[in-house]
Amino acid sequence: MTDLFDRFYLPEDVGISSIDVANFLLECDKIHYKLRTLHIIRHGKAVVEAARYPFRASDKRLVYSVSKTFTSTAIGFAVQEGLVNVNDQLLDYFPECKDLDMDPRAREITLRDVLTMSTGHERDTVGDMCNSEGTPWPEIFFTRKMAYAPGEHFVYNSGGTYMLSEVISRTTGKSLFQWLQEKLFEPLGITDVSWDVNGKVNTGAWGLLIAPRDLCKVGVFYLNKGLWNGQRLLSEEWIDEATAPHVPTLEQGCAGWGQRYGYQIWENSPGSYRADGAFGQYIMVFPQKDMVIVTTAEEIDGTRVFPLVEQYLLANLTDPQKGRDAWTYEHLQKVLCQWETPAVYEPSSSYLQALLQDKIYLLKSVDSQEQHRLRLQMANSRLAIAVDGIQSLESSCVTDRHGETPFAIEIPSNSPLRGPEQRSRAWSYSAHHTWVDQDTLLLTVCWRETGHYQTWKFQFDGEKLFLWITDGVKGMFQLFGATSDRNVCFRDRAFVGETQK
């Protein structure tokens, strides 16, 4: 059995211009689009794998709502096994909720309505779910305010996707993750993947941690209508039904992108579709072009990339292959190498380095009960920070240092990390620091698997330490006035500490 990435081909071998790929990457830079990785597959051949330093193509990524497409795929396998039917009423799978006081329309919601984000709810139910204190999530879903008849109106509803995960657990006797391991991940050779949970149920709508290469495999699986290496895994009928546009989204979109919605799958321009996650995580499938494009990014408006995809990656395709050209190949390779070039920073120092060696600070949050024990070690260009004996960060002032650590002070993420799967694991990071002045140290941490950066600003004042932690993703949300639930904090975090006597 061959692997999709056993060999990389020249773009020209599948009718793509190397110049167009290079110009796409350069244009992303020009408009300051924070693209992290890019993969292009055409005619079953991998032709581009790009990763912006310090991100790596091998890193798993928290793909946010791309998770939803995996959840609908799990429903497809359950339909194929005869365990569920999309015309079933959702409430039939939750008999404990039948006596709840709910809008009569909520009793009519079908699995199809949930798959197409047309449950009839006034707004997304997931915020109330995540903010609940002990109330079962299905009970919250069924009792939230309805504004439409089921199937009538598109309202994005991550809470509904969670309900699909519950349906999988209840009908298969396995978690969503276990079900997909058996039906999808193992057949596709996807081995290093995890999914957040609420109790024992996978969150469904978010929380999937998976490598970009594995996203490509799923894209090719959809492109080939449920076939993988010649083996039928999921019916062609389901793939066609899931990817067909079912409901209008009322989104203006870009050049027609995103105006209609399938089964937890967005329409691109007519005839193509995508799995879509926050900040620009996309599996884009173009059946007429026999092509899959996968991106990861850190963008508040990830859709800014769509015009560039159309202009540079789709407009100039040919069949058969294009002629090879040494100059165009060299040009693309130069751009790709520039993407991978490690950063080098101007050295900086402070007299405090000698005084802070092995210093221990007891930190207290300025607006909560949160407390931490922080230890500093410094030598030459290097900095080591330990928090509560759990979180360990190593940094340099001249380059990035790379490592893995669990967290004591929360890493940046838009996902409510409720379960032990995410909270207990070690996360990959790259970090560097600089002395802004003799008393101020700025540490920059790239959490490569979330795609986001975090800055730690240390202000030293005698025996006191003031620490501000700013997450790039949270700053983006705060700029647009977003509110947070109890699991996600969209603001700077501030601590005050003194040295331990």
Side-chain angles (χ1 to χ4, degrees), residues 30 139 141 287-288 327 331 473 481:
K30 183 178 179 180
E139 180 176 328
F141 178 84
Q288 296 172 3
W327 182 88
H331 179 65
V473 55

Side-chain angles (χ1 to χ4, degrees), residues 137 180 186 402:
W137 284 14
L180 283 175
E186 289 181 4
H402 314 288

Side-chain angles (χ1 to χ4, degrees), residues 64 279 300 410 412-416 452 469-493:
Y64 304 102
F279 311 112
I300 195 65
E410 185 179 347
S413 168
N414 184 39
S415 176
H452 305 306
I469 300 178
T470 300
D471 296 335
V473 55
K474 296 174 182 178
M476 286 193 289
F477 269 83
Q478 195 170 43
L479 177 66
F480 288 86
T483 57
S484 61
D485 59 49
R486 66 184 177 87
N487 299 291
V488 184
C489 173
F490 298 140
R491 56 176 173 75
D492 293 349
R493 310 179 70 187

Side-chain angles (χ1 to χ4, degrees), residues 221-239:
F221 167 75
Y222 264 83
L223 180 67
N224 292 334
K225 294 184 178 292
L227 289 173
W228 184 255
N229 281 329
Q231 179 184 0
R232 170 65 62 190
L233 301 180
L234 188 56
S235 72
E236 182 174 343
E237 292 75 18
W238 176 264
I239 299 294

Side-chain angles (χ1 to χ4, degrees), residues 363 372-376 383 385-388 391-393 405-412 431-434 436 440-447 453-460 465-471 493 495:
L363 297 177
H372 297 286
R373 185 174 181 269
L374 183 144
R375 179 181 180 183
L376 296 171
L383 165 67
I385 297 173
V387 183
D388 300 337
Q391 187 170 2
S392 178
L393 296 170
T405 183
F407 64 89
I409 298 177
E410 185 179 347
I411 64 173
H432 66 273
H433 68 269
T434 186
V436 178
T440 307
L441 177 70
L442 190 65
L443 171 70
T444 301
V445 185
C446 170
W447 296 100
Y453 281 84
Q454 193 177 53
T455 57
W456 298 36
K457 182 180 179 182
F458 298 83
Q459 183 76 52
F460 300 97
L465 168 63
F466 300 91
L467 172 61
W468 295 268
I469 300 178
T470 300
D471 296 335
R493 310 179 70 187
F495 299 89

